[in-house]
Amino acid sequence: MTSKLEEDLTCNVCCDIFKNPVLLTCAHSICKACLQQFWESKGSRECPYCRRKCSKVVYPPNMALRNLCETFLNEGSHRASSGSEVLCSFHSEKLKLFCLEDEQPVCLVCRDSKRHTNHKFHPIDEAALDRKEELKIKLQPLQKQLKTFEKTKVTCDQTAKHIKTQVQHTEKQIKEEFEKLHQFLRDEEAARITALREEEEQKSQMMKKKIEKMSREISSLSCTIRAIEEKMGADDITFLQCEHRPGTRGNRAPVRYG
C-alpha cells in the first residue's frame, strides 16, 4: 500500500518519486523532464496541475523537495536491503531488471512506468555479469600498475636504506679522520711548547751568566771608584804622599769596559 508521504513525493505526470523537481511560479512542483515533455506534447507552456501560464522557460530546482525524495529513496533501499532480499523502493517488488539508461536495478512495474518509457533493460544477472567483465578488464591494468608501483617502492626503500647506511659509514670515517688530525695538532702543539720552554731555559741561563759577570765587573769598578774618591778627599800633603808612595800607582785597579 502506498503511504501518504510517498503520495506527496510522487509526480502526477510520471507517477514516480520526483526526480530533479523544479518549482513553478504557481508554487507547484514537477519533474524537470516531465515538465519539458508536457510542454512539448501540449504545444504551450502551462502548469500541468492548475493550467496557469508559465512565463519562464527555466525554473529553479526545488532543493528541499529533491533532498526529501532522495532521503525517502535511500531509506526505502535500506529497509529493503535489511530483509532477506532487495526490493524496489517504489513498488516493493523484486528487482529483476537493470535499466541501461538510468543505470539502476528496477522491478517489472518500473519497466512499464512512464519514468522508463523507451528505456532498454537487461536481466539483473546478465547486467551484473557484463559490468563485472567490464570492471575485470579495467582492473587488469590497475593491478599491473599496482605491481609496478610496489616493485618501484621496494627499490626506493632499498635505495633509501643504502643511502642512510652509506651516510653513516662516511660520517664515521670523517669523525675518525678529524680525530686523527686533532690528535696530530695536539701532539704538535705540545712539541712546540716543549721546544719553546727549552729555548727559554737556555737563553735564560745565558742571560743569568752574563748578568752575574756584569755584576762582578760593576762591583769591582765601584770599589776602584770609591778608593780614588777617598784619596781625592784627603788633604794635599796626604794625597801627594799617597800618590808618590812606592807601589801606590801600580796598585790602582784597572778600569775595564764591556
Side-chain angles (χ1 to χ4, degrees):
M1 182 180 295
T2 305
S3 64
K4 182 64 172 63
L5 177 60
E6 186 174 355
E7 290 180 0
D8 293 337
L9 299 180
T10 300
C11 174
N12 290 337
V13 177
C14 62
C15 298
D16 281 334
I17 301 297
F18 284 109
K19 187 175 182 181
N20 295 327
V22 294
L23 182 63
L24 303 181
T25 308
C26 58
H28 287 122
S29 293
I30 185 174
C31 297
K32 183 178 180 179
C34 293
L35 181 63
Q36 294 296 330
Q37 291 178 0
F38 179 79
W39 284 353
E40 291 175 359
S41 62
K42 191 70 175 177
S44 61
R45 293 196 298 271
E46 59 183 29
C47 174
Y49 299 101
C50 63
R51 305 299 178 179
R52 183 177 176 179
K53 295 294 182 179
C54 298
S55 58
K56 298 180 181 179
V57 178
V58 179
Y59 285 91
N62 191 337
M63 300 300 297
L65 180 59
R66 190 181 75 174
N67 294 338
L68 186 62
C69 291
E70 290 179 353
T71 301
F72 176 78
L73 292 175
N74 291 335
E75 290 180 352
S77 298
H78 178 71
R79 287 193 299 269
S81 60
S82 62
S84 58
E85 60 182 0
V86 180
L87 301 179
C88 175
S89 58
F90 297 114
H91 310 103
S92 299
E93 298 287 339
K94 292 182 179 180
L95 300 174
K96 296 184 177 181
L97 301 174
F98 183 79
C99 177
L100 300 181
E101 278 73 12
D102 294 337
E103 295 187 344
Q104 62 179 5
V106 295
C107 67
L108 296 177
V109 180
C110 289
R111 179 192 60 184
D112 299 330
S113 66
K114 293 181 179 180
R115 185 176 183 179
H116 295 280
T117 301
N118 297 325
H119 288 188
K120 294 182 179 180
F121 303 89
H122 280 174
I124 285 290
D125 55 348
E126 292 183 7
L129 182 61
D130 292 341
R131 292 304 174 92
K132 288 179 180 179
E133 289 296 328
E134 292 177 1
L135 290 178
K136 185 178 180 180
I137 295 174
K138 293 180 179 180
L139 186 62
Q140 290 177 352
L142 295 178
Q143 291 175 336
K144 184 177 180 180
Q145 187 176 18
L146 176 60
K147 291 181 179 179
T148 303
F149 285 161
E150 289 176 345
K151 185 177 180 180
T152 304
K153 183 178 180 300
V154 171
T155 303
C156 291
D157 290 340
Q158 293 175 348
T159 303
K161 185 177 180 181
H162 175 71
I163 292 173
K164 185 175 181 180
T165 303
Q166 189 177 37
V167 168
Q168 291 176 346
H169 177 68
T170 305
E171 181 181 355
K172 182 180 179 181
Q173 286 183 327
I174 291 173
K175 288 182 177 180
E176 291 176 352
E177 292 296 328
F178 271 91
E179 179 59 29
K180 291 179 181 179
L181 180 59
H182 292 159
Q183 185 60 45
F184 170 77
L185 293 175
R186 287 193 292 267
D187 294 341
E188 186 68 16
E189 178 187 10
R192 293 193 179 189
I193 291 176
T194 301
L196 180 63
R197 293 286 186 265
E198 292 176 354
E199 183 180 357
E200 178 191 13
E201 182 65 23
Q202 292 175 359
K203 292 182 178 181
S204 296
Q205 290 297 328
M206 291 175 60
M207 292 304 299
K208 182 179 179 181
K209 292 178 181 180
K210 191 171 183 179
I211 291 172
E212 289 176 352
K213 183 179 179 181
M214 290 298 297
S215 296
R216 290 193 297 269
E217 294 290 341
I218 292 171
S219 178
S220 176
L221 186 57
S222 296
C223 290
T224 302
I225 292 172
R226 281 196 302 272
I228 295 173
E229 288 177 345
E230 288 176 0
K231 290 179 180 182
M232 292 176 63
D235 58 83
D236 294 341
I237 295 173
T238 304
F239 172 74
L240 291 174
Q241 287 177 347
C242 291
E243 185 69 18
H244 293 84
R245 187 177 299 169
T248 303
R249 289 180 181 272
N251 293 329
R252 292 181 181 178
V255 179
R256 291 171 291 182
Y257 301 94

